[in-house]
Coordinates of all heavy atoms in Angstrom, one line a residue:
R1113 N 6.0 9.0 16.2 CA 6.6 10.3 16.3 C 5.7 11.4 16.8 O 6.0 12.3 17.6 CB 7.2 10.7 14.9 CG 8.5 10.1 14.6 CD 9.2 10.7 13.4 NE 8.5 11.7 12.7 CZ 8.3 11.7 11.4 NH1 8.7 10.7 10.7 NH2 7.7 12.7 10.8
A1114 N 4.4 11.4 16.4 CA 3.4 12.3 16.9 C 3.2 12.2 18.4 O 3.2 13.2 19.1 CB 2.1 12.2 16.1
E1115 N 3.1 11.0 18.8 CA 2.9 10.7 20.3 C 4.2 11.2 21.1 O 4.0 11.9 22.1 CB 2.7 9.2 20.5 CG 2.4 8.9 21.9 CD 2.1 7.4 22.1 OE1 1.7 6.8 21.2 OE2 2.2 7.0 23.3
I1116 N 5.4 10.9 20.6 CA 6.6 11.3 21.3 C 6.7 12.8 21.4 O 7.1 13.4 22.4 CB 7.8 10.7 20.6 CG1 7.9 9.2 20.9 CG2 9.1 11.4 21.1 CD1 8.9 8.4 20.1
D1117 N 6.3 13.5 20.3 CA 6.4 14.9 20.2 C 5.2 15.6 20.9 O 5.2 16.8 21.0 CB 6.4 15.4 18.7 CG 7.7 15.0 18.0 OD1 8.7 14.6 18.7 OD2 7.7 15.0 16.8
G1118 N 4.3 14.8 21.4 CA 3.1 15.4 22.1 C 2.2 16.2 21.3 O 1.5 17.2 21.7
T1119 N 2.0 15.7 20.0 CA 1.1 16.4 19.1 C -0.1 15.5 18.8 O 0.1 14.3 18.7 CB 1.7 16.8 17.8 OG1 2.3 15.6 17.2 CG2 2.9 17.8 18.0
A1120 N -1.3 16.1 18.7 CA -2.5 15.3 18.4 C -2.5 15.1 16.8 O -2.4 16.1 16.1 CB -3.7 16.1 18.8
P1121 N -2.6 13.9 16.4 CA -2.6 13.7 14.9 C -3.9 14.0 14.2 O -4.9 13.7 14.7 CB -2.2 12.2 14.8 CG -2.7 11.6 16.0 CD -2.6 12.6 17.1
R1122 N -3.8 14.6 13.1 CA -4.9 14.8 12.1 C -4.4 14.4 10.8 O -3.1 14.3 10.6 CB -5.2 16.3 12.0 CG -6.0 16.8 13.3 CD -6.5 18.3 13.1 NE -7.3 18.4 11.9 CZ -8.7 18.2 12.0 NH1 -9.3 17.9 13.1 NH2 -9.4 18.4 10.9
V1123 N -5.2 14.0 9.9 CA -4.8 13.6 8.6 C -5.4 14.6 7.5 O -6.5 15.1 7.7 CB -5.2 12.2 8.2 CG1 -4.4 11.2 9.1 CG2 -6.7 11.9 8.3
G1124 N -4.7 14.8 6.5 CA -5.1 15.6 5.3 C -4.9 14.7 4.1 O -4.0 13.9 4.1
V1125 N -5.8 14.8 3.1 CA -5.7 13.9 2.0 C -5.8 14.6 0.7 O -6.5 15.5 0.5 CB -7.0 12.9 2.1 CG1 -7.0 11.9 1.0 CG2 -7.0 12.2 3.4
I1126 N -4.9 14.1 -0.2 CA -4.8 14.6 -1.6 C -5.5 13.6 -2.5 O -5.1 12.5 -2.5 CB -3.4 14.9 -2.0 CG1 -2.7 16.0 -1.1 CG2 -3.3 15.3 -3.5 CD1 -1.2 16.1 -1.3
I1127 N -6.6 14.1 -3.1 CA -7.3 13.3 -4.1 C -7.0 14.0 -5.5 O -7.4 15.1 -5.7 CB -8.7 13.2 -3.8 CG1 -9.0 12.6 -2.4 CG2 -9.5 12.4 -4.9 CD1 -10.4 12.7 -1.9
D1128 N -6.3 13.3 -6.4 CA -5.9 13.9 -7.6 C -6.8 13.3 -8.7 O -6.9 12.1 -8.9 CB -4.4 13.5 -7.9 CG -3.8 14.1 -9.1 OD1 -4.5 14.5 -10.0 OD2 -2.6 14.2 -9.1
R1129 N -7.3 14.2 -9.5 CA -8.1 13.8 -10.7 C -7.5 14.4 -11.9 O -7.8 15.5 -12.3 CB -9.6 14.3 -10.6 CG -10.5 13.8 -11.7 CD -11.9 14.3 -11.5 NE -11.9 15.8 -11.8 CZ -13.0 16.5 -11.8 NH1 -14.2 16.0 -11.5 NH2 -12.9 17.8 -12.2
G1130 N -6.5 13.7 -12.5 CA -5.9 14.1 -13.7 C -5.2 15.5 -13.6 O -5.3 16.3 -14.5
G1131 N -4.4 15.7 -12.5 CA -3.7 16.9 -12.3 C -4.5 18.0 -11.6 O -4.0 19.1 -11.4

Side-chain angles (χ1 to χ4, degrees):
R1113 276 195 356 235
E1115 185 177 337
I1116 288 170
D1117 293 344
T1119 58
R1122 289 186 57 87
V1123 294
V1125 180
I1126 298 171
I1127 301 169
D1128 186 337
R1129 182 181 75 177

